[in-house]
Amino acid sequence: MPTQDDVLGYFDTLSNWGRWGDDDELGTLNHITDDVRLAAARAVRHGRSVSCAWEIAVPGEMERSTTTCPCAADMPGAENMPVRFHNDRRWGFSSEQVGITFHGNTVTHVDSPCHIFWDGTMYNGRSHSLVDPATGSAWAAVTAAANGIVTRGVLLDIARVRDVPWLEPGQGVFPDDLEEAERRQGVRVRPGDAVLLRTGYGRVRHEAGVTHGITQAGWHASCLPWLHEREVALIGADTPQDVQPSGYEDVLMPVHAVSLVAMGLWMVDNCDLEACATTAAELGQWDFHLAVAPVRFAGTSGSPVNPIATF
């Protein structure tokens, strides 16, 4: 079990600063090469796709106003449109204005490296001052992944490995769990892979609804050297990643902090992995083609996403 000093040391020993150049903003997404994407395509053996995201509730996680216009020719301002616009009186429309806070414990979203600072510093040694309240981040924002994150995904079902319906809040997942899941599932995590961690919380949420508070199952900090050694490109979980409490008095969220700041390891929080796990068990296939397409919000530290696993 790493001590707190060991975990603090990860900021140096697991650092990818400068590994891909001083101007690199992609971090571990650099592990996703053309060959890795081709290999991901070969993981499609059944043609079945499932979503790994939660539906965003309205009202709740999203504020939305919807405008409906049964006949567009009657809408305000139509008198200023060309004559041909007035002639077609059969079409109408609906449209929305949406506001959403996606960071937190409910919405499925991707975190880019600028989401977390440590001692006022972001990935690759950039200052927090590059994040402006008006324009957002000028460094390592979600738009660095504008071409999407397309790679091989691997689901490690820790609840299944431990033969429990779900891990209890506060239970951590350790490297031995990851390797036991690989052994039982007949899969091995390779460089460039996205690793999705199932604790079973998605089942709790489906059956009982969202639980409130910050105590949760998730990755233990001891997994960080394992993820670094395996050259994982992206991690996801059915919780907000870090086991809480973390076990370290001075490091509230070591997985978030070390991953995003030191490693440049992108992450997808709050996945719904129940359909993915059911499909994987049914097909006997625990790897798949994974596509994550962030919205190109300029300067933001993440984006709501709908990860698609195709078996």
Side-chain angles (χ1 to χ4, degrees), residues 44-50 278-280 282-283 288 308-311:
V44 179
R45 299 190 281 276
H46 300 275
R48 189 182 305 180
S49 290
V50 298
T278 299
T279 303
E282 176 189 341
L283 300 177
F288 39 83
I308 303 296
T310 304
F311 292 81

Side-chain angles (χ1 to χ4, degrees), residues 20 26 28-42 150-152 191-193 231 233:
W20 296 287
L26 284 174
T28 55
L29 297 187
N30 284 287
H31 292 313
I32 305 177
T33 63
D34 292 347
D35 287 341
V36 167
R37 293 187 190 92
L38 288 170
R42 291 191 288 271
V150 177
T151 190
R152 189 181 79 132
D193 282 349
E231 297 188 333

Side-chain angles (χ1 to χ4, degrees), residues 6 22 55 67 126 145 147 173 191 198 222 225 238 245 261 279 295:
D6 293 331
D22 291 338
E55 184 172 293
T67 300
R126 294 310 199 272
N147 294 328
V173 174
R198 179 178 179 266
S222 58
D238 54 9
V261 177
T279 303
V295 180

Side-chain angles (χ1 to χ4, degrees), residues 205-277:
R205 187 168 165 181
H206 277 289
E207 294 181 2
V210 176
T211 59
H212 299 283
I214 61 170
T215 301
Q216 65 198 29
W219 300 94
H220 188 270
S222 58
C223 293
L224 290 165
W226 191 93
L227 295 168
H228 187 265
E229 179 183 352
R230 295 294 187 93
E231 297 188 333
V232 169
L234 173 78
I235 60 172
D238 54 9
T239 66
Q241 311 293 351
D242 288 77
V243 62
Q244 290 292 323
S246 69
Y248 301 100
E249 183 176 353
D250 297 334
V251 195
L252 175 66
M253 297 189 298
V255 174
H256 264 77
V258 175
S259 292
L260 292 171
V261 177
M263 298 167 64
L265 174 60
W266 295 57
M267 53 183 62
V268 181
D269 294 350
N270 310 317
C271 295
D272 179 3
L273 299 176
E274 294 310 289
C276 187

Side-chain angles (χ1 to χ4, degrees), residues 4-306:
Q4 180 166 280
D5 286 342
D6 293 331
V7 172
L8 291 171
Y10 291 164
F11 285 98
D12 295 321
T13 60
L14 305 183
S15 174
N16 285 321
W17 291 11
R19 179 174 181 174
W20 296 287
D22 291 338
D23 293 328
D24 175 61
E25 300 177 68
L26 284 174
T28 55
L29 297 187
N30 284 287
H31 292 313
I32 305 177
T33 63
D34 292 347
D35 287 341
V36 167
R37 293 187 190 92
L38 288 170
R42 291 191 288 271
V44 179
R45 299 190 281 276
H46 300 275
R48 189 182 305 180
S49 290
V50 298
S51 169
C52 298
W54 290 97
E55 184 172 293
I56 300 176
V58 183
E61 294 105 2
M62 178 169 60
E63 296 179 0
R64 181 178 71 181
S65 62
T66 299
T67 300
T68 62
C69 187
C71 182
D74 293 334
M75 71 179 185
E79 63 275 9
N80 300 318
M81 300 296 289
V83 172
R84 64 181 180 274
F85 185 90
H86 299 271
N87 291 340
D88 184 352
R89 299 193 59 83
R90 302 186 67 178
W91 74 282
F93 65 87
S94 65
S95 65
E96 289 78 30
Q97 184 172 19
V98 172
I100 182 171
T101 301
F102 54 83
H103 287 301
N105 295 359
T106 54
V107 176
T108 307
H109 66 274
V110 64
D111 288 343
S112 70
C114 72
H115 178 46
I116 296 294
F117 312 143
W118 188 258
D119 287 336
T121 304
M122 295 185 284
Y123 171 67
N124 230 355
R126 294 310 199 272
S127 170
H128 71 94
S129 62
L130 290 174
V131 182
D132 181 80
T135 59
S137 182
W139 180 256
V142 75
T143 45
N147 294 328
I149 303 170
V150 177
T151 190
R152 189 181 79 132
V154 176
L155 177 66
L156 297 182
D157 192 340
I158 306 305
R160 181 184 177 93
V161 165
R162 294 191 185 177
D163 195 27
V164 295
W166 52 73
L167 274 60
E168 295 297 330
Q171 289 187 315
V173 174
F174 301 89
D176 286 350
D177 293 309
L178 307 179
E179 295 185 1
E180 179 65 11
E182 286 183 314
R183 187 186 69 80
R184 290 200 188 188
Q185 297 173 187
V187 68
R188 182 174 175 81
V189 173
R190 304 191 302 238
D193 282 349
V195 179
L196 304 183
L197 186 74
R198 179 178 179 266
T199 70
Y201 174 64
R203 179 174 172 181
V204 175
R205 187 168 165 181
H206 277 289
E207 294 181 2
V210 176
T211 59
H212 299 283
I214 61 170
T215 301
Q216 65 198 29
W219 300 94
H220 188 270
S222 58
C223 293
L224 290 165
W226 191 93
L227 295 168
H228 187 265
E229 179 183 352
R230 295 294 187 93
E231 297 188 333
V232 169
L234 173 78
I235 60 172
D238 54 9
T239 66
Q241 311 293 351
D242 288 77
V243 62
Q244 290 292 323
S246 69
Y248 301 100
E249 183 176 353
D250 297 334
V251 195
L252 175 66
M253 297 189 298
V255 174
H256 264 77
V258 175
S259 292
L260 292 171
V261 177
M263 298 167 64
L265 174 60
W266 295 57
M267 53 183 62
V268 181
D269 294 350
N270 310 317
C271 295
D272 179 3
L273 299 176
E274 294 310 289
C276 187
T278 299
T279 303
E282 176 189 341
L283 300 177
Q285 178 184 334
W286 298 89
D287 66 335
F288 39 83
H289 178 278
L290 184 70
V292 181
V295 180
R296 296 177 69 173
F297 290 136
T300 63
S301 57
S303 164
V305 289
N306 180 20

